[in-house]
Amino acid sequence: MTWPSSIHCCEREAARAIPIVGVNATPDGVAAIKAGELLASAALDAMKLACLGVEAALRALARERVRAEILLPVAVAERANCCAWDLPYTERALPDWSECVRG
């Protein structure tokens, strides 16, 4: 049973709507948000995390100073703004290094 059908099964048994949220704003998750089956998704974007990790490694290999703290803010994908995540991974925006580093 896939997760959308699991949700519908739980809703039927509870005889009421159950607000469901997800993580990572995956393409399936964004489709569920658009369809009203998922309330929202915390966009903990693994691609952006990997991008920052590679950027830090390349800077360290080039003997550049790598900041002590690298932060990637978490966004919430919901029906009103999910178009930003309704893209193939290769078309999603990458993080700006200068906006994610401190110290």
Side-chain angles (χ1 to χ4, degrees):
M1 180 181 320
T2 63
W3 69 267
S5 59
S6 299
I7 292 169
H8 295 300
C9 178
C10 291
E11 287 178 340
R12 281 193 305 274
E13 287 183 24
R16 62 186 166 97
I18 301 169
I20 306 290
V21 295
V23 179
N24 291 340
T26 62
D28 287 342
V30 172
I33 291 169
K34 289 171 60 177
E37 297 171 348
L38 191 63
L39 181 63
S41 180
L44 300 168
D45 196 321
M47 183 181 70
K48 289 181 180 181
L49 289 170
C51 177
L52 290 172
V54 169
E55 178 81 21
L58 291 173
R59 287 172 181 261
L61 288 170
R63 300 188 190 279
E64 293 180 29
R65 181 174 180 265
V66 176
R67 303 280 180 147
E69 187 173 43
I70 302 171
L71 301 173
L72 180 61
V74 176
V76 176
E78 56 189 349
R79 188 177 273 182
N81 69 354
C82 68
C83 62
W85 290 273
D86 194 16
L87 299 167
Y89 288 115
T90 56
E91 294 178 23
R92 292 185 183 190
L94 295 176
D96 183 326
W97 175 261
S98 64
E99 293 176 7
C100 298
V101 293
R102 293 187 182 168

